[in-house]
Amino acid sequence: MRFDLLTLFPDLFESYLQQSLLKKAIDRGLVEIHRWNFRDWATGRHQSVDDKPYGGGPGMLIRCQPVFDCVEHVQCQGAAPGRLIMLTPAGQTLDQRLVESLSHESRFVLLCGRYEGFDDRIRQGLAPLEISIGDYITNGGEVPAMVLIETLIRLVPGVLGDETSSQYESFAESGVLEYPQFTRPREFRGMTVPDVLLNGNHAEIAHWRSAASLSRTRERRGPDTPLADERKEPGACP
Ligand code: SAM
């Protein structure tokens, strides 16, 4: 899976690219990340990438020209053009269903905004898929882009150590939240692990986990949350 990150702050990704699962995935050739700075396409004496909004108002907007030129250049790199995505609070809210539908694609070109955002003609002219990570405002599109990358690479075969783990997490398949999990010790500050998880009976454990997932989902997401009838558990009998 290839990502092209178009941003005014490519260095923000520096440490992120050096960590954990993502670094391993890059080293193993499962994920490829390229960074591009809109500023490298800015023309004119001051190489400005932003300007004041028509009609007045606070802040600056990212100008059309550097973005169009940068996108046109980047889309000609690689085997085929990528799915163009604009990170914007006005976009479709990211959820696991959207992540899964995108995970079948092999290349993404991500537009990260800054300041007051993009001149609207960038959206009109380039027709990106617009994605929001939630109803709140971050300072730029770089962290939202990292969120999108995090969610997508987990679904690339070979990226997770245990291939089954993304299948059994919250929101996978039936849309329920994950059941509570525990590790050693059996007792910590008076809090104990449910007995059923210690008895080695896989059918009982699967049943307990399924029930715990459903009740946690209803409790936290409301009684009307649509749920699948049964949730398959790792190691459960058919
Ligand atoms: N003026 C914009 C508005 O009110 O919608 C907010 C601009 S925000 C400070 C700058 C950039 O951060 C945006 O262009 C976008 O790329 C990114 N951004 C901020 N919040 C976001 C969110 N919830 N989801 C995705 N991107 C976001």
Side-chain angles (χ1 to χ4, degrees), residues 48-53 57-63 113-119:
S48 72
V49 288
D50 56 339
D51 211 335
K52 293 181 210 145
M60 303 290 270
L61 294 173
I62 300 182
R63 296 171 48 234
R114 274 275 152 177
Y115 317 130
E116 287 305 314
F118 294 102
D119 183 315

Side-chain angles (χ1 to χ4, degrees), residues 19 25 86-88 90 121 150 193 201 207 211 218 221 224:
Q19 309 299 322
M86 175 184 280
L87 283 314
T88 164
R121 289 165 295 183
E150 290 280 282
V193 175
N201 182 326
H207 181 76
R218 293 205 169 105
R221 295 289 190 267
D224 300 332

